[in-house]
């Protein structure tokens, strides 16, 4: 079978042979009893990396975000976030369904909010209004094109939230990418949030897994809701071992993914009908507009599939490419050749 170049998402990475070895020899136990030593090691490692008291292993980034929303809020509370954030747009309406919260969505600049926007959205205390309880930020911002949150914005928003008695959750599904690009450590970002979710299955090769980190009290609530949401896993050490391997071996190389994304963006900027500013590509996500090519994103995706490259049609005018562990320089060159033919 012909191997396809899969740029649809960084969720498609597969465990390497060395990662599989680490998984095969992982010590396991029943994690619902808290007895899986490998899960416990991963949780301690991630809590340490993020500078939080505790972290808890969960099956997905969606569950990590939604457990955080559930653990921070009461039904009827309002959550402030950016218009295109994942927790609002791409998690199946979970905030409303599982936590009974409502959302206040603010227009970001490539997904990034300014403290004054958040300040303007916080409700005064009045029986007519919902209680503004939680601010959710996303770093890097997926729909914003992998944009990195400036630490200034995050810290100012956190300080404002504290002064108004609000909580802050950071969706750090790609926090590792933000750190690789900015040089700001994961813990430096995490200090400006009450809770942080991180993923191991985006670009790092681990097959499954995310963690939520925060204070001991908060994680105790998350633990209870994890059981309620059906996310308690048993001998999950096999998965945790993949996560530990990923953190030990695949963080350093993320910069390569970012370089390859930039290279793709530069090549695409030379294709007729493609609108993209390569200067805006900060991490591993490349989003571009194909309106002027006269083709729809779906038509472009179909044509690229015919040439052995999978890409993601993002709405009516845009396409998303994501580089990751399983994409090489040669794959990038082949992809650009294919795009040249499609946009000829
Ligand atoms: N994002 C996926 C899709 O759901 C869009 C992708 O291909 O990019 N937060 C952010 C910022 C994410 O990008 C994602 C996944 C999640 C949370 C959810 O993670 P999972 O897929 O593990 O539930």
């Amino acid at each position: 079978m012909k191997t396809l170049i899969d740029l649809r998402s960084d969720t498609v990475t597969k465990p390497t042979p060395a990662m599989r070895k680490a998984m095969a020899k992982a010590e396991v136990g029943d994690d619902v009893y808290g007895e899986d030593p490998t899960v416990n090691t991963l949780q301690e490692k991630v809590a340490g990396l993020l500078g939080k008291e505790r972290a808890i292993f969960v099956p997905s980034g969606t569950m990590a975000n939604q457990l955080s929303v559930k653990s921070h809020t009461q039904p009827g509370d309002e959550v402030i976030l950016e218009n295109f954030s994942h927790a609002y747009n791409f998690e199946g309406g979970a905030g409303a369904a599982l936590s009974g919260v409502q959302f206040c969505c603010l227009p970001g600049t490539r997904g990034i909010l300014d403290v004054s926007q958040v300040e303007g959205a916080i409700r005064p205390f009045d029986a007519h209004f919902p209680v503004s309880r939680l601010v959710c930020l996303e770093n890097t911002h997926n729909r914003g094109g992998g944009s990195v949150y400036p630490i200034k914005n995050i810290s100012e928003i956190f300080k404002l939230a504290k002064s108004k008695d609000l909580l802050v959750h950071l969706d750090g599904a790609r926090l590792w990418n933000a750190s690789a690009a900015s040089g700001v450590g994961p813990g430096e970002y995490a200090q400006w949030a009450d809770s942080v979710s991180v993923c191991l299955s985006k670009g790092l090769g681990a097959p499954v897994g995310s963690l939520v980190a925060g204070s001991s009290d908060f994680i105790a609530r998350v633990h209870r809701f994890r059981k309620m949401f059906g996310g308690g896993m048993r001998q999950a050490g096999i998965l945790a071992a993949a996560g530990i391997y990923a953190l030990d071996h695949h963080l350093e190389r993320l910069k390569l993914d970012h370089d390859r994304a930039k290279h793709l963006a530069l090549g695409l900027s030379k294709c007729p009908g493609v609108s993209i500013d390569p200067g805006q590509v900060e991490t591993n996500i490349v989003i571009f507009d194909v309106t002027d090519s006269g083709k729809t994103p779906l038509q472009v995706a179909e044509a690229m599939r015919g040439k052995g490259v999978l890409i993601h049609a993002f709405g009516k005018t845009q396409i998303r490419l994501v580089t990751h562990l399983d994409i090489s320089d040669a794959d990038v060159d082949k992809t650009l050749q294919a795009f040249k033919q499609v946009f000829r």
Side-chain angles (χ1 to χ4, degrees):
M1 205 179 75
K2 199 174 147 201
T3 332
L4 296 169
I5 298 171
D6 196 343
L7 290 159
R8 287 172 303 169
S9 182
D10 48 6
T11 57
V12 302
T13 56
K14 298 195 175 122
T16 60
M19 183 182 280
R20 283 174 184 263
K21 255 190 205 158
M23 294 169 77
K25 62 172 204 235
E27 253 189 89
V28 297
D30 190 330
D31 183 50
V32 171
Y33 293 120
E35 289 172 2
D36 189 302
T38 314
V39 170
N40 291 339
T41 303
L42 172 66
Q43 291 175 165
E44 280 160 28
K45 187 177 178 73
V46 169
L49 279 171
L50 297 174
K52 297 292 182 201
E53 281 174 3
R54 280 180 68 195
I56 185 167
F57 191 43
V58 300
S60 69
T62 299
M63 195 182 278
N65 283 339
Q66 294 305 326
L67 285 171
S68 302
V69 171
K70 180 83 179 165
S71 304
H72 281 314
T73 61
Q74 296 295 320
D77 284 350
E78 191 161 63
V79 178
I80 298 169
L81 36 61
E82 198 273 339
N83 263 336
F84 292 105
S85 56
H86 198 279
Y88 175 63
N89 289 283
F90 305 117
E91 300 185 5
L98 304 177
S99 299
V101 293
Q102 69 177 44
F103 291 102
C104 170
C105 299
L106 301 172
T109 306
R110 301 182 61 240
I112 309 297
L113 296 176
D114 198 73
V115 67
S116 59
Q117 292 179 277
V118 178
E119 189 163 26
I122 298 175
R123 310 269 189 173
F125 190 74
D126 181 302
H128 292 82
F129 300 131
V131 175
S132 302
R133 181 80 65 194
L134 178 66
V135 182
C136 287
L137 306 177
E138 188 177 314
N139 190 21
T140 66
H141 198 288
N142 181 352
R143 201 64 182 77
S147 42
V148 178
Y149 238 104
I151 192 83
K152 179 174 181 289
N153 297 42
I154 298 198
S155 58
E156 287 176 355
I157 291 171
F158 183 74
K159 286 176 199 160
L160 167 77
K162 292 300 103 181
S163 73
K164 303 278 185 182
D165 217 12
L166 268 73
L167 297 154
V168 176
H169 172 68
L170 177 62
D171 176 352
R174 297 186 181 82
L175 191 65
W176 320 117
N177 295 85
S179 286
S182 65
V184 176
E188 288 175 75
Y189 283 122
Q191 69 177 307
W192 305 114
D194 296 285
S195 59
V196 187
S197 55
V198 289
C199 291
L200 304 166
S201 61
K202 290 178 186 64
L204 301 184
V208 175
S210 297
L211 291 102
V212 185
S215 70
S216 293
D217 284 352
F218 168 77
I219 296 298
R221 288 199 299 283
V222 172
H223 184 247
R224 181 180 151 66
F225 289 125
R226 184 184 70 170
K227 191 77 196 110
M228 188 190 278
F229 286 13
M233 296 184 281
R234 302 292 177 174
Q235 286 70 32
I238 290 185
L239 300 173
I244 293 170
Y245 186 92
L247 294 174
D248 287 345
H249 297 92
H250 293 164
L251 287 186
E252 288 286 313
R253 58 158 307 287
L254 286 176
K255 278 194 177 137
L256 282 175
D257 296 342
H258 301 175
D259 292 345
R260 288 176 180 137
K262 278 199 192 86
H263 191 60
L264 276 169
L266 273 170
L268 277 161
S269 69
K270 292 177 193 138
C271 290
V274 170
S275 305
I276 184 169
D277 175 0
Q280 290 197 337
V281 174
E282 295 176 79
T283 57
N284 66 331
I285 298 181
V286 181
I287 296 181
F288 58 99
D289 192 290
V290 295
T291 312
D292 294 345
S293 72
K295 294 182 171 65
T296 66
L298 278 176
Q299 286 168 335
V300 175
E302 226 11 70
M304 288 297 283
R305 180 184 277 271
K307 296 180 182 304
V309 183
L310 303 182
I311 59 175
H312 190 61
F314 229 29
K316 291 195 177 124
T317 63
Q318 290 182 318
I319 286 174
R320 184 186 75 163
L321 312 176
V322 190
T323 54
H324 51 75
L325 182 64
D326 299 340
I327 296 295
S328 64
D329 285 333
D331 293 333
V332 167
D333 290 340
K334 278 187 213 152
T335 301
L336 285 175
Q337 283 307 323
F339 272 128
K340 269 184 203 151
Q341 290 165 9
V342 169
F343 289 116
R344 195 166 32 199

